[in-house]
Amino acid sequence: MPSGRTHEAINLTLLGLGGALYLAQGGSPEEPRALAFLLGYLAGTFLLSPDLDLAEKGVRAQGRWGVLGALWRPYGWLFRHRGLSHTWILGPLTRLGYLLLLLFLLYGLLKGVAAFMGASLALALPPLPKEVLLFGLLGYYLSQWLHLVADGIWPDHDLRRLKRPR
């Protein structure tokens, strides 16, 4: 199985080739959909790698988070390495869901601290067009799928495992 560096090299190489093709076709790097795709792809490659399911300390995927990498250890305890977290649809969703849970808990903590101090905390996010969000999600999923292919996990991997006699 490839190392974390190899996964990153594969993803960045294909991103560079895809970016060159996009620009050669007259695409603009300032296009919001292209930027959303790029950010989703890079987040999936460096921050939300399928290898976050490795619970041991010093894992490259967790190290990218710095001190916050410790927050991903429970994710590694929940998911066996190359188990559900290394599936084509649910695997990336588990990491997004876990990230949303962490953000929700952080927001709750900050809101509680603000209330304790006699202040209020309101979160106002600018609305993003659905198309931009979809391109960000597409970039994220593509980076995840490249990781899985490099690990030898193809889309029919789970189907073949289900058909195998026990």
Side-chain angles (χ1 to χ4, degrees), residues 2-12 45 51 146-147 150-151:
S3 69
R5 287 183 199 274
T6 303
H7 282 298
E8 292 164 4
I10 291 168
N11 279 19
L12 290 178
T45 298
D51 289 338
L146 289 172
H147 183 109
D151 279 347

Side-chain angles (χ1 to χ4, degrees), residues 15 32-42 132 135-136 138-140 142:
L15 177 64
R33 293 177 297 187
L35 184 58
F37 178 88
L38 176 67
L39 292 176
Y41 190 92
L42 291 175
V132 170
F135 272 83
L138 178 65
Y140 168 69
L142 182 59

Side-chain angles (χ1 to χ4, degrees), residues 43-45 47-54 61 65 72 75-76 79-80 82-103 140-141 143-145 147-148:
T45 298
L47 295 175
L48 297 172
S49 163
D51 289 338
L52 283 169
D53 62 5
L54 291 164
W65 287 85
W72 285 95
Y75 179 84
F79 298 100
R80 179 176 51 86
R82 294 203 177 93
L84 179 65
S85 64
H86 272 66
T87 58
W88 280 67
I89 303 298
L90 292 179
L93 275 179
T94 62
R95 285 180 290 289
L96 286 179
Y98 190 81
L99 178 63
L100 288 174
L101 174 67
L102 289 177
L103 292 173
Y140 168 69
Y141 263 91
S143 73
Q144 303 292 295
W145 293 340
H147 183 109
L148 295 178

Side-chain angles (χ1 to χ4, degrees), residues 121-136:
L121 181 68
L123 181 64
L125 296 173
L128 286 173
K130 287 182 184 174
E131 190 176 79
V132 170
L133 290 174
L134 286 175
F135 272 83

Side-chain angles (χ1 to χ4, degrees), residues 105-125:
L105 292 173
L106 175 65
Y107 178 69
L109 177 68
L110 291 175
K111 198 169 183 173
V113 168
F116 179 75
M117 299 176 89
S120 66
L121 181 68
L123 181 64
L125 296 173

